[in-house]
PDB file of all heavy atoms in Angstrom:
ATOM      1  N   PRO A1560       1.729 -19.851   4.622  1.00 91.00           N
ATOM      2  CA  PRO A1560       0.258 -20.365   4.547  1.00 91.00           C
ATOM      3  C   PRO A1560       0.170 -21.658   5.181  1.00 91.00           C
ATOM      4  O   PRO A1560       1.030 -22.478   5.138  1.00 91.00           O
ATOM      5  CB  PRO A1560      -0.090 -20.445   3.068  1.00 91.00           C
ATOM      6  CG  PRO A1560       0.899 -19.647   2.419  1.00 91.00           C
ATOM      7  CD  PRO A1560       2.174 -19.698   3.070  1.00 91.00           C
ATOM      8  N   PRO A1561      -0.871 -21.895   5.930  1.00 89.00           N
ATOM      9  CA  PRO A1561      -1.123 -23.208   6.626  1.00 89.00           C
ATOM     10  C   PRO A1561      -1.306 -24.237   5.614  1.00 89.00           C
ATOM     11  O   PRO A1561      -1.754 -23.956   4.477  1.00 89.00           O
ATOM     12  CB  PRO A1561      -2.260 -23.071   7.474  1.00 89.00           C
ATOM     13  CG  PRO A1561      -2.975 -21.919   6.977  1.00 89.00           C
ATOM     14  CD  PRO A1561      -1.917 -20.934   6.336  1.00 89.00           C
ATOM     15  N   ALA A1562      -1.013 -25.584   5.935  1.00 87.00           N
ATOM     16  CA  ALA A1562      -1.217 -26.645   4.986  1.00 87.00           C
ATOM     17  C   ALA A1562      -2.649 -26.827   4.577  1.00 87.00           C
ATOM     18  O   ALA A1562      -2.934 -27.151   3.475  1.00 87.00           O
ATOM     19  CB  ALA A1562      -0.719 -27.970   5.624  1.00 87.00           C
ATOM     20  N   ALA A1563      -3.541 -26.320   5.314  1.00 88.00           N
ATOM     21  CA  ALA A1563      -5.028 -26.441   5.097  1.00 88.00           C
ATOM     22  C   ALA A1563      -5.527 -25.258   4.167  1.00 88.00           C
ATOM     23  O   ALA A1563      -6.636 -25.288   3.810  1.00 88.00           O
ATOM     24  CB  ALA A1563      -5.835 -26.335   6.399  1.00 88.00           C
ATOM     25  N   ILE A1564      -4.683 -24.344   3.748  1.00 89.00           N
ATOM     26  CA  ILE A1564      -5.146 -23.188   3.031  1.00 89.00           C
ATOM     27  C   ILE A1564      -5.793 -23.504   1.705  1.00 89.00           C
ATOM     28  O   ILE A1564      -6.710 -22.845   1.264  1.00 89.00           O
ATOM     29  CB  ILE A1564      -3.907 -22.165   2.818  1.00 89.00           C
ATOM     30  CG1 ILE A1564      -4.481 -20.933   2.168  1.00 89.00           C
ATOM     31  CG2 ILE A1564      -3.069 -22.859   1.686  1.00 89.00           C
ATOM     32  CD1 ILE A1564      -5.264 -20.046   3.195  1.00 89.00           C
ATOM     33  N   ASP A1565      -5.505 -24.675   1.036  1.00 86.00           N
ATOM     34  CA  ASP A1565      -6.100 -25.125  -0.125  1.00 86.00           C
ATOM     35  C   ASP A1565      -7.212 -26.121  -0.008  1.00 86.00           C
ATOM     36  O   ASP A1565      -7.662 -26.708  -0.952  1.00 86.00           O
ATOM     37  CB  ASP A1565      -4.981 -25.521  -1.226  1.00 86.00           C
ATOM     38  CG  ASP A1565      -4.195 -24.365  -1.741  1.00 86.00           C
ATOM     39  OD1 ASP A1565      -4.845 -23.212  -1.944  1.00 86.00           O
ATOM     40  OD2 ASP A1565      -2.978 -24.480  -1.889  1.00 86.00           O
ATOM     41  N   GLU A1566      -7.515 -26.477   1.158  1.00 85.00           N
ATOM     42  CA  GLU A1566      -8.517 -27.393   1.482  1.00 85.00           C
ATOM     43  C   GLU A1566      -9.928 -26.708   1.083  1.00 85.00           C
ATOM     44  O   GLU A1566     -10.127 -25.574   1.122  1.00 85.00           O
ATOM     45  CB  GLU A1566      -8.538 -27.887   2.925  1.00 85.00           C
ATOM     46  CG  GLU A1566      -7.408 -28.772   3.349  1.00 85.00           C
ATOM     47  CD  GLU A1566      -7.506 -29.225   4.709  1.00 85.00           C
ATOM     48  OE1 GLU A1566      -8.569 -28.981   5.296  1.00 85.00           O
ATOM     49  OE2 GLU A1566      -6.486 -29.790   5.230  1.00 85.00           O
ATOM     50  N   GLY A1567     -10.899 -27.608   0.733  1.00 84.00           N
ATOM     51  CA  GLY A1567     -12.187 -26.968   0.299  1.00 84.00           C
ATOM     52  C   GLY A1567     -12.035 -26.392  -0.968  1.00 84.00           C
ATOM     53  O   GLY A1567     -11.264 -26.730  -1.828  1.00 84.00           O
ATOM     54  N   THR A1568     -12.987 -25.422  -1.243  1.00 87.00           N
ATOM     55  CA  THR A1568     -13.060 -24.779  -2.469  1.00 87.00           C
ATOM     56  C   THR A1568     -12.696 -23.333  -2.397  1.00 87.00           C
ATOM     57  O   THR A1568     -13.122 -22.594  -1.545  1.00 87.00           O
ATOM     58  CB  THR A1568     -14.597 -24.789  -2.958  1.00 87.00           C
ATOM     59  OG1 THR A1568     -15.041 -26.095  -3.015  1.00 87.00           O
ATOM     60  CG2 THR A1568     -14.658 -24.167  -4.455  1.00 87.00           C
ATOM     61  N   ARG A1569     -11.677 -22.962  -3.369  1.00 91.00           N
ATOM     62  CA  ARG A1569     -11.294 -21.667  -3.502  1.00 91.00           C
ATOM     63  C   ARG A1569     -11.678 -21.134  -4.899  1.00 91.00           C
ATOM     64  O   ARG A1569     -11.681 -21.891  -5.728  1.00 91.00           O
ATOM     65  CB  ARG A1569      -9.678 -21.472  -3.173  1.00 91.00           C
ATOM     66  CG  ARG A1569      -9.356 -21.969  -1.778  1.00 91.00           C
ATOM     67  CD  ARG A1569      -7.787 -21.596  -1.538  1.00 91.00           C
ATOM     68  NE  ARG A1569      -7.448 -20.204  -1.604  1.00 91.00           N
ATOM     69  CZ  ARG A1569      -6.249 -19.658  -1.722  1.00 91.00           C
ATOM     70  NH1 ARG A1569      -5.333 -20.512  -1.710  1.00 91.00           N
ATOM     71  NH2 ARG A1569      -6.124 -18.484  -1.688  1.00 91.00           N
TER      72      ARG A1569
END
Side-chain angles (χ1 to χ4, degrees):
I1564 191 67
D1565 286 320
E1566 290 182 10
T1568 303
R1569 295 185 67 188

